[in-house]
Amino acid sequence: MELFEVGPCKSSYEMGYLIGERFSSLINSRLATDLILQTQLRPFAKTHLAKPLIDALTDNNRNKFPHYWDELIGIAEGSGVPVLDIILINFRKEMLAFMPKNEAVSIPEDTVDDCSDVLVVSHDMAIAVHNEDANVALVGHTYLIRANLGNGHSFTAYTYAGELPSCAFGYNSHGLAFTLNSVPPSEDEIVAGGIGRNFISRDLLEAINIDDALKKIQSSEMSVGHSYNLIDIPTRKILNIETASKNRFSVYEVNATPFFHANMYLHLQVPQIQDENSRSRQERAASLLKESKDDFLSLVGDTDDKRYPIYMTGPTLYTLCTAVFDLDGPTLSIIEGNPKEGKVTHSFHLH
């Protein structure tokens, strides 16, 4: 997995363009292998139902985050792919909920981006361990972006090919880091044309501290639901924030009791889709030892439940990597392969 250092740039468009240009072949490859894009999003985009939805998502997100919108356009034009394709993959979750359900057509189903996190802040240890799980189409289609901004600050973000950094995890030079988990609110809890999750997490990469990050999440007017694990290195604090449309959110401060989060709401009271995969992982995690860093790596590497393992290797979902934020290092280690084996491929000092 490549780390690309970019910036400072004259504009957000230029930064997106340089990223798109550098990873053009990876972005094109991802679009060519993404069955959800090909069989669902592209055909839907051609229907009369899709136009007002795409227009609303475009207008609302461009108005709220004009610089990040320019960055998105830059990614499309730098990689030489249609702007519409880049819009569709960045707003995948915000669009799939509004697609008509056609039982007659056999198409691959989108899944919750099933990530798992185990978090603790105690006297001895402050750590966040995160499995980045995604559809198998994303295997080999990720990269790391280190962006140097015009104001002298920087961020590092794990990035899906063609998407804004980062829908997964990242950190910045202010000592603020985050990991993300999808949560599936029920369909009538989703608002059409709201702010996209990818734009909110892109904004978090420029948060100056945990309070600023919290403010960015709370004012987001999002379309769907999401769970954010905010990590503040200077104050040795980790917060889990669960969110839903209509500016609903709940904040839980992680303490000495290890906190495991899969892909279901745990403390925000919102009607949600019952996800057996998530429930199985939640129950399995509750039964495992969680006393040391090795225990945490063993937990997120667990494959005991053959149907719904915590560490996934296909056929639909795949654990792309595991991120370990150690607040006392402070370090970020990225592990590829089963985290039990501890094969660190990238290590960063968090400053």
Side-chain angles (χ1 to χ4, degrees), residues 75 130 161 172 184 205 207 209 221 241 256 281 300 306:
I75 292 168
H130 169 85
N172 66 27
L205 288 167
N209 55 37
E221 297 155 10
I241 300 97
R281 282 179 289 136
V300 297
K306 297 302 174 214

Side-chain angles (χ1 to χ4, degrees), residues 5 27 87 99 153 160 178 180 201 217 225 228 279 292-293 332 336 342 344:
E5 189 152 350
I27 293 168
I87 288 173
M99 287 175 49
H153 291 287
Y160 289 8
F178 62 82
L180 304 172
S201 54
I217 292 168
Y228 299 85
R279 195 163 46 246
S292 68
K293 183 176 173 180
L332 163 63
E336 293 186 14
V344 176

Side-chain angles (χ1 to χ4, degrees), residues 30 33-34 92 134-142 160-161 163 320:
R30 186 239 167 124
T33 54
D34 191 329
R92 184 178 86 244
N135 190 285
V136 288
L138 272 302
V139 175
H141 294 114
T142 61
Y160 289 8
E163 297 189 36
L320 302 176

Side-chain angles (χ1 to χ4, degrees), residues 22-318:
R22 178 69 195 84
F23 293 107
S24 174
S25 61
L26 220 53
I27 293 168
N28 277 276
S29 170
R30 186 239 167 124
L31 298 181
T33 54
D34 191 329
L35 292 176
I36 292 161
L37 172 70
Q38 292 168 14
T39 64
Q40 296 186 64
L41 292 170
R42 278 179 182 155
F44 176 57
K46 292 177 179 161
T47 68
H48 69 282
L49 286 172
K51 188 178 185 319
L53 178 60
I54 294 171
D55 286 350
L57 286 166
T58 297
D59 291 346
N60 292 335
N61 285 269
R62 184 171 55 200
N63 289 341
K64 189 171 176 72
F65 296 117
H67 295 303
Y68 306 148
W69 187 265
D70 289 348
E71 197 175 305
L72 183 140
I73 301 301
I75 292 168
E77 295 185 353
S79 59
V81 304
V83 170
L84 180 60
D85 276 351
I86 296 297
I87 288 173
L88 294 178
I89 60 171
N90 276 274
F91 289 123
R92 184 178 86 244
K93 292 290 179 185
E94 288 78 13
M95 292 185 62
L96 286 169
F98 295 97
M99 287 175 49
K101 307 289 183 280
N102 186 346
E103 302 301 328
V105 182
S106 176
I107 49 180
E109 198 169 316
D110 185 43
T111 53
V112 175
D113 296 325
D114 289 290
C115 298
S116 298
D117 279 76
V118 58
L119 318 158
V120 71
V121 178
S122 67
H123 177 70
D124 302 320
M125 178 170 53
I127 198 165
V129 180
H130 169 85
N131 273 2
E132 184 57 37
D133 305 324
N135 190 285
V136 288
L138 272 302
V139 175
H141 294 114
T142 61
Y143 40 81
L144 289 161
I145 298 296
R146 172 168 289 156
N148 299 302
L149 305 173
N151 60 9
H153 291 287
S154 65
F155 66 75
T156 302
Y158 183 91
T159 306
Y160 289 8
E163 297 189 36
L164 289 170
S166 162
C167 66
F169 59 88
Y171 70 92
N172 66 27
S173 55
H174 295 287
L176 189 282
F178 62 82
T179 69
L180 304 172
N181 308 82
S182 294
V183 283
S186 59
E187 287 189 15
D188 52 3
E189 296 295 326
I190 296 171
V191 173
I195 300 301
R197 298 178 317 163
N198 280 15
F199 281 80
I200 298 163
S201 54
R202 173 65 186 84
D203 197 33
L204 287 183
L205 288 167
E206 301 197 24
I208 58 171
N209 55 37
I210 201 163
D211 292 332
D212 186 35
L214 204 49
K215 206 178 297 175
K216 289 176 184 295
I217 292 168
Q218 290 170 351
S219 65
S220 59
E221 297 155 10
M222 65 172 49
S223 174
V224 293
H226 217 27
S227 172
Y228 299 85
N229 301 302
L230 295 182
I231 302 162
D232 198 47
I233 307 296
T235 61
R236 205 172 177 267
K237 180 189 280 192
I238 301 177
L239 300 177
N240 172 256
I241 300 97
E242 293 179 344
T243 64
S245 60
K246 302 170 194 153
N247 289 94
R248 290 170 291 175
F249 61 88
S250 172
V251 180
Y252 172 82
E253 182 163 355
V254 175
N255 54 40
T257 303
F259 179 75
F260 180 82
H261 204 293
N263 304 95
M264 51 199 281
Y265 287 105
L266 297 180
H267 49 94
L268 180 63
Q269 301 306 305
V270 174
Q272 61 182 312
I273 295 166
Q274 292 309 305
D275 175 26
E276 198 182 330
N277 185 333
S278 238
R279 195 163 46 246
S280 295
R281 282 179 289 136
Q282 203 79 38
E283 287 169 5
R284 175 63 181 158
S287 72
L288 294 171
L289 197 63
K290 296 180 282 294
E291 290 178 2
S292 68
K293 183 176 173 180
D294 285 345
D295 290 344
F296 286 1
L297 292 175
S298 181
L299 187 158
V300 297
D302 186 77
T303 55
D304 187 69
D305 185 324
K306 297 302 174 214
R307 189 168 181 209
Y308 298 120
I310 295 175
Y311 178 78
M312 306 177 186
T313 53
T316 305
L317 289 163
Y318 201 93

